[in-house]
Amino acid sequence: MCKVFSSLLGFTLLGAKASGQQAGFTYTASPASNCAPATFTFSNTTTGYPISYTWSFGDGRTSKQKDPVITYSTPGTYTITLTAYYQATTSNISSVVTVNGITAADFAANDRTGCGSYTVTFTNLTPGATSSTWDFGDGTGVTVNTPTVQHQYNAADTFDVVLTTTNANGCSQTVRKNDYIIIRTPALDLANNTREGCIPFNAQFNAVSSNIDSDPVTTYAWNFGDGISQTTATPAVNHAYTTAGTYNVSLTITTQQGCTATRTFNQHIRTGTAPTGVSFTATPAVTCAATPVRLLASATNATHYNWDFGDGITRQGTEADITRNFVQTGNLAVNLRAGNNGCYVNAAPVNVQIGASVARFTYARSCNNKSLYQFNNTSIGDPTDTYEWDFGDNTPLEANASPQHLYTAEGTYTVRLSVRNAGNGCVSTTFQTVRVFIADFNTGVSTVCRGTSVPFGVVHVPSSLVTNYSWHFGDGTVLNTTAVDITKTFNAVGTYTDTLIISYNDAAYCRDTIVKQNHVSVIAPVAAFTMNTPACEGKPVTFNNTSIPSPSIPFTNWSWNLGNGTQSALQTPAATTYNNSGQFPVKLVVTDARNCRDSVTQQVTISSTPFMQIYAPGTKLCEGASLTLQAVTDAPLQWTTAYNIGCNNCANPVITPLRDTQYIAVATNAAGCTAADTVAITVVPAVTLTVNADTAVCQGASVQLRATGGSIYAWTSDQGEINGATSASPIVTPTQNTTYTVAARNDQSCPAVIADVTVEVKPVPTLDAGRNQFVTVGSVINLNATYSADVVKWEWTPSTYIDCATCPVTTATPREHMTYSMTVTNNAGCTKTDVLDVRLLCDQSVVFIPTGFTPNGDGQNDIFYIRGKGVKQIRYLRIFNRWGQEVFKRERFNIDDINAGWNGILNGKALQQDVYVYMIEAICDSNDIFQMKGNISLIR
């Protein structure tokens, strides 16, 4: 059933189905007119719990995003389809959108040229235009809803016209035409005509005008400057001036379109009265060539003089007295016209005789040796004339008629030729300037980056001699110019040989050709990159920089624009992700250490990525069981885990793993893009239950039961409590013979294995170790235990100081406080333990100290030492004489140690018979400390 949904723009959804799992979306567009480029922001309203989405935008682009944003740059109609994938089904919905556009804007004018105040009719030629906004270029504009509009221009100028046109969809486009309207006034001039003469003077005028096309002049209004005006329909007119004077002539023309132009020609006509008495003299009338001749005019009412010297030379001015050097020989007729404000009168000609020789020469620079000049003597004279050349470089004078001269340095030299006539001795001299130079050019650089402007400059060449520089560059281009300095841009890498051909305006200088081989190296790095394929939507895409640097010039900068809003300055950019499929422009700009650059832009294709989702009814499986996996995808799939799986390329394989296994499914579409999902199956191993054998325990004792082969245990019995009933090793204390049952599992979802352990309870013997005893240190005590008749084994512990540790009745001589334990074992192997404490009492009576000794060496009573029992250690024994002098001291020794006693000697000398005082400090076996002192008699 089809439904029509409306959003901000309105669209139709096709293929919807009513269920809890329904694909759906809305969108907004910017601009709201849907004019290209239009950006659509989609909002996914799909219901249920989809596992993936696939958008198709109708132009080959796709996306897996939930809410994508897409820009359409080309007008057209596009079907947008959203497919939602669920675990068991799919749902799709489509929307048809129209991206509006407008054809190229254009306009025309009925006439682009005019003059004065001129009205133009403009027509919007854009198909479908509903609104036109005009900018007429003169500071004014208008918006109209009609295709035509009129505008009046009131000033002469050139105007740019701009039209912004809008169609019914609200899409706009702008077109600009520069210098489109031309408003100008006609340009006026007067053709060549005689502008001066004697009154009455009949002046002929012929007007010339440059008019706008198809706008001829209809009237010519003349003002002759003498108070008389005349209007004609033709450009030619005559006018008679009757009064001497200087006149400004003014002309105004009017065209057929009503344009007017006025121009005044100042001092255009000069009229005067004729001078009288016009004559002149020449002094001397006969002379050598190049010798000054004075010409003196005489006239009344003359202000200007026009001279014709008879040798092709003329001169005009206000001077009546001039000097002329004649360089042409022979009889020359000199003429004079004297004038007053344009009215001239001729004087009678005067002959001047110029004799002898006239110095003349030409020269030419050698085309093979630019420092060698050939001088050609063209003097007028006799064969007997002699010549003298001065080349201006301080070299010896030359007498040959037409010599060659080699200059050794560049420069400007003044060359003199003097010709002497042998007949009359006249000398004629002429001078010419010779420029000596070796043409060259330079660039100032030898290596440049591609696309860089290289300066070329001509050196050593006088620019005033040059008519043309013809540059022939190594890249095949040619430039003809008169500029001394130029720039050239090389757009290709290479080493270039450039040629300059120089042409001169003086025939004396043949063309120069300068060739410089391989003098400019144009370098540039080569920007290049590749992309790991396939490049897939939503997956990291890696670009590899394969740019090639110029030799020995490392790269310093990289600028990437990856086409998805990501930029990078790294040599190799980090992997980037494209959220949509389609074409994306990727640009790389590389810069090296010389700041040379190159760039490359590639349209990279990002392919759509499939989706993959694995479902399993559970992730735990008891060993030996099986389950069915479900893979949901939109592309062919392959299970890459081959272990105990029913099929490798089906969507619902049955698996029977015997160990923990990760099952991986990979979906691969036609573009090679992949999507993978993994499900981890935990296999619960079968239980191999082992319990300890049946056992026996003495009554009142505890026993630890043991089970292995499982991970979850449950112990039960019908008698008594079990400590640790869910552990593998519980502790039980049965009061009677008892059977314990254990159920072992490796997972609660898997079945249990059952086993039993029986514990027999045996009787325990009775025992009384005896009462606690308090005795004097050094005493012998009796140990006498009583016990039941079933006892077959006895043991006192510890056995220290005991005569018989395995006898039920025995004696002990403890040297310290003791706790004795008696353990008995009956004929059932059960034991019983009881203890008694023995506490020692310290008493000085256990120590015997003699009252005297006889150290006479007879072996009898020679040493005074301490005797006794029950003493752990004598801490010290000190003996003093009657004057308090210590004569003996011994520390930390055992009682009854004769070697620790005193032999009556002090410092190697036997002391005299006397009574001495002893002091003792001792430690009893009970760890009590006591002191004793008394007298001891030393008898000799």
Side-chain angles (χ1 to χ4, degrees):
M1 180 178 66
C2 294
K3 294 184 179 180
V4 178
F5 293 79
S6 62
S7 67
L8 178 62
L9 303 176
F11 56 87
T12 301
L13 294 180
L14 306 176
K17 69 178 184 178
S19 73
Q21 297 177 334
Q22 175 63 59
F25 66 89
T26 61
Y27 63 82
T28 58
S30 177
S33 60
N34 278 27
C35 296
T39 298
F40 288 77
T41 300
F42 295 93
S43 178
N44 195 325
T45 61
T46 300
T47 60
Y49 299 96
I51 59 176
S52 181
Y53 306 98
T54 296
W55 294 83
S56 174
F57 300 109
D59 60 354
R61 291 181 293 173
T62 63
S63 177
K64 289 292 191 298
Q65 288 183 288
K66 179 184 178 184
D67 301 306
V69 177
I70 292 295
T71 298
Y72 291 95
S73 299
T74 304
T77 299
Y78 301 92
T79 299
I80 301 166
T81 300
L82 168 62
T83 301
Y85 294 87
Y86 299 88
Q87 181 177 352
T89 187
T90 61
S91 175
N92 61 75
I93 196 166
S94 298
S95 167
V96 178
V97 301
T98 299
V99 177
N100 298 314
I102 186 171
T103 55
D106 194 15
F107 66 88
N110 63 325
D111 197 344
R112 294 178 52 201
T113 58
C115 65
S117 179
Y118 179 65
T119 299
V120 180
T121 300
F122 293 97
T123 301
N124 186 342
L125 302 177
T126 309
T130 58
S131 174
S132 304
T133 298
W134 297 91
D135 181 346
F136 299 115
D138 60 354
T140 64
V142 67
T143 298
V144 296
N145 295 324
T146 58
T148 61
V149 66
Q150 288 187 331
H151 180 67
Q152 178 175 303
Y153 290 91
N154 296 310
D157 204 344
T158 300
F159 301 94
D160 302 337
V161 179
V162 181
L163 168 64
T164 299
T165 183
T166 305
N167 63 14
N169 295 319
C171 301
S172 299
Q173 194 174 83
T174 298
V175 59
R176 180 188 188 94
K177 295 187 178 183
N178 294 327
D179 301 330
Y180 189 66
I181 298 299
I182 302 170
I183 307 297
R184 64 171 180 251
T185 57
L188 296 180
D189 202 357
L190 294 178
N192 291 333
N193 63 315
T194 302
R195 296 173 52 191
E196 58 185 13
C198 301
I199 58 172
F201 176 65
N202 186 30
Q204 297 179 347
F205 299 98
N206 191 10
V208 179
S209 63
S210 57
N211 301 335
I212 301 294
D213 297 340
S214 303
D215 189 18
V217 177
T218 57
T219 60
Y220 297 85
W222 299 88
N223 186 329
F224 300 113
D226 58 354
I228 298 176
S229 299
Q230 183 179 354
T231 298
T232 65
T234 60
V237 66
N238 295 334
H239 178 68
Y241 289 89
T242 59
T243 304
T246 300
Y247 301 97
N248 299 330
V249 178
S250 177
L251 171 63
T252 298
I253 65 171
T254 301
T255 69
Q256 191 177 59
Q257 297 181 10
C259 296
T260 61
T262 300
R263 181 178 177 184
T264 298
F265 302 87
N266 293 324
Q267 299 183 358
H268 190 70
I269 298 296
R270 297 170 61 231
T271 61
T273 57
T276 59
V278 178
S279 65
F280 70 97
T281 60
T283 307
V286 178
T287 185
C288 296
T291 301
V293 175
R294 181 184 182 192
L295 301 175
L296 179 60
S298 175
T300 301
N301 196 33
T303 58
H304 284 77
Y305 302 90
N306 293 347
W307 298 92
D308 184 345
F309 301 116
D311 55 1
I313 306 300
T314 61
R315 179 175 173 178
Q316 298 178 6
T318 60
E319 299 89 355
D321 187 356
I322 64 173
T323 299
R324 168 69 176 165
N325 292 332
F326 291 91
V327 295
Q328 182 173 328
T329 61
N331 190 23
L332 303 179
V334 180
N335 289 281
L336 168 66
R337 296 176 69 236
N340 175 272
N341 202 38
C343 180
Y344 288 90
V345 175
N346 294 327
V350 175
N351 291 326
V352 177
Q353 183 68 40
I354 306 299
S357 303
V358 177
R360 294 177 182 174
F361 69 90
T362 63
Y363 65 89
R365 184 176 65 160
S366 170
C367 294
N368 297 322
N369 185 348
K370 300 305 173 64
S371 295
L372 179 64
Y373 284 74
Q374 175 67 51
F375 293 93
N376 301 310
N377 194 331
T378 59
S379 300
I380 301 173
D382 296 330
T384 59
D385 289 346
T386 60
Y387 307 99
E388 182 181 89
W389 293 88
D390 183 349
F391 300 109
D393 59 353
N394 296 321
T395 57
L397 301 178
E398 175 67 53
N400 290 332
S402 296
Q404 285 186 336
H405 186 72
L406 180 66
Y407 287 94
T408 59
E410 296 183 47
T412 301
Y413 300 93
T414 300
V415 178
R416 174 181 60 85
L417 169 62
S418 295
V419 179
R420 181 180 295 276
N421 186 275
N424 57 20
C426 289
V427 177
S428 177
T429 299
T430 187
F431 299 87
Q432 290 194 53
T433 298
V434 175
R435 290 172 174 162
V436 180
F437 55 90
I438 305 299
D440 197 4
F441 70 87
N442 58 36
T443 59
V445 293
S446 60
T447 302
V448 297
C449 298
R450 180 183 59 197
T452 300
S453 294
V454 180
F456 283 80
V458 182
V459 293
H460 310 316
V461 177
S463 59
S464 60
L465 290 177
V466 177
T467 57
N468 183 65
Y469 299 103
S470 182
W471 296 91
H472 296 256
F473 299 107
D475 62 355
T477 59
V478 177
L479 174 64
N480 291 299
T481 181
T482 58
V484 175
D485 298 315
I486 64 166
T487 58
K488 164 64 180 173
T489 300
F490 291 94
N491 294 314
V493 173
T495 301
Y496 293 95
T497 296
D498 297 319
T499 301
L500 171 62
I501 301 172
I502 306 176
S503 300
Y504 300 101
N505 54 25
D506 190 336
Y509 298 90
C510 59
R511 292 194 311 177
D512 273 312
T513 299
I514 305 101
V515 179
K516 293 201 172 181
Q517 297 283 346
N518 302 326
H519 79 117
V520 173
S521 293
V522 178
I523 63 173
V526 178
F529 65 87
T530 60
M531 177 181 66
N532 290 352
T533 57
C536 303
E537 163 199 358
K539 299 294 185 69
V541 178
T542 301
F543 291 93
N544 306 305
N545 192 335
T546 58
S547 300
I548 303 172
S550 298
S552 304
I553 303 176
F555 287 118
T556 57
N557 295 97
W558 301 267
S559 177
W560 292 85
N561 187 328
L562 301 181
N564 61 350
T566 301
Q567 296 183 344
S568 175
L570 299 177
Q571 181 175 358
T572 300
T576 189
T577 300
Y578 294 84
N579 294 325
N580 304 317
S581 65
Q583 295 283 324
F584 294 85
V586 176
K587 182 177 182 180
L588 168 62
V589 180
V590 295
T591 306
D592 63 21
R594 289 182 64 106
N595 207 32
C596 295
R597 295 184 178 182
D598 190 35
S599 65
V600 61
T601 300
Q602 295 184 33
Q603 290 288 336
V604 301
T605 299
I606 304 300
S607 302
S608 63
T609 299
F611 75 91
M612 166 60 70
Q613 183 76 44
I614 300 176
Y615 290 94
T619 59
K620 287 184 180 180
L621 183 65
C622 299
E623 182 178 349
S626 64
L627 61 79
T628 300
L629 301 178
Q630 180 187 7
V632 180
T633 182
D634 60 349
L637 65 88
Q638 180 74 28
W639 293 90
T640 61
T641 305
Y643 174 65
N644 286 11
I645 188 168
C647 60
N648 291 327
N649 54 10
C650 60
N652 303 104
V654 177
I655 60 171
T656 55
L658 299 178
R659 61 177 182 268
D660 291 353
T661 304
Q662 283 191 337
Y663 286 91
I664 302 172
V666 178
T668 305
N669 61 17
C673 294
T674 63
D677 194 17
T678 301
V679 61
I681 301 299
T682 300
V683 176
V684 180
V687 175
T688 55
L689 180 61
T690 301
V691 296
N692 59 285
D694 293 345
T695 186
V697 66
C698 297
Q699 189 171 22
S702 298
V703 64
Q704 188 170 39
L705 307 179
R706 288 181 175 82
T708 60
S711 57
I712 301 173
Y713 299 93
W715 293 86
T716 60
S717 78
D718 57 358
Q719 299 289 332
E721 182 179 344
I722 300 175
N723 183 10
T726 59
S727 69
S729 302
I731 297 175
V732 296
T733 309
T735 59
Q736 59 186 17
N737 294 344
T738 304
T739 298
Y740 295 92
T741 300
V742 60
R745 291 180 171 86
N746 281 322
D747 189 87
Q748 291 289 5
S749 61
C750 295
V753 177
I754 307 298
D756 293 332
V757 177
T758 299
V759 179
E760 179 186 358
V761 179
K762 294 183 178 182
V764 177
T766 61
L767 172 66
D768 184 2
R771 295 183 300 171
N772 295 334
Q773 300 185 41
F774 295 89
V775 297
T776 303
V777 294
S779 301
V780 177
I781 64 173
N782 293 317
L783 300 177
N784 189 3
T786 59
Y787 42 85
S788 58
D790 58 348
V791 173
V792 295
K793 183 180 178 181
W794 306 264
E795 183 178 10
W796 293 94
T797 57
S799 61
T800 308
Y801 313 120
I802 295 178
D803 289 341
C804 178
T806 58
C807 299
V809 177
T810 185
T811 60
T813 310
R815 296 291 308 275
E816 56 188 309
H817 298 305
M818 294 297 295
T819 295
Y820 289 108
S821 173
M822 163 60 83
T823 299
V824 297
T825 304
N826 63 12
N827 50 16
C830 293
T831 62
K832 182 71 172 182
T833 300
D834 193 19
V835 297
L836 66 86
D837 289 331
V838 178
R839 294 293 178 258
L840 301 180
L841 302 176
C842 186
D843 190 345
Q844 297 181 8
S845 63
V846 298
V847 178
F848 169 72
I849 299 176
T851 59
F853 70 110
T854 58
N856 54 11
D858 61 357
Q860 298 292 324
N861 202 23
D862 287 334
I863 303 298
F864 170 72
Y865 68 98
I866 302 171
R867 304 171 179 84
K869 59 182 179 179
V871 175
K872 183 180 295 185
Q873 184 187 58
I874 305 299
R875 299 186 67 179
Y876 63 80
L877 167 61
R878 302 175 68 186
I879 301 175
F880 302 89
N881 61 20
R882 66 178 60 247
W883 295 282
Q885 179 186 7
E886 185 178 66
V887 297
F888 179 79
K889 181 179 181 182
R890 182 79 67 182
E891 293 180 332
R892 292 180 177 82
F893 58 90
N894 293 328
I895 199 167
D896 288 329
D897 185 359
I898 192 172
N899 293 321
W902 182 42
N903 60 2
I905 296 174
L906 174 64
N907 295 329
K909 181 179 179 183
L911 297 182
Q912 64 184 2
Q913 180 175 303
D914 203 346
V915 177
Y916 296 85
V917 178
Y918 65 85
M919 295 181 65
I920 297 171
E921 183 174 280
I923 302 175
C924 281
D925 288 343
S926 63
N927 290 325
D928 295 320
I929 299 173
F930 65 92
Q931 290 90 24
M932 298 178 64
K933 65 179 178 179
N935 297 327
I936 179 70
S937 297
L938 189 158
I939 303 172
R940 296 281 184 191

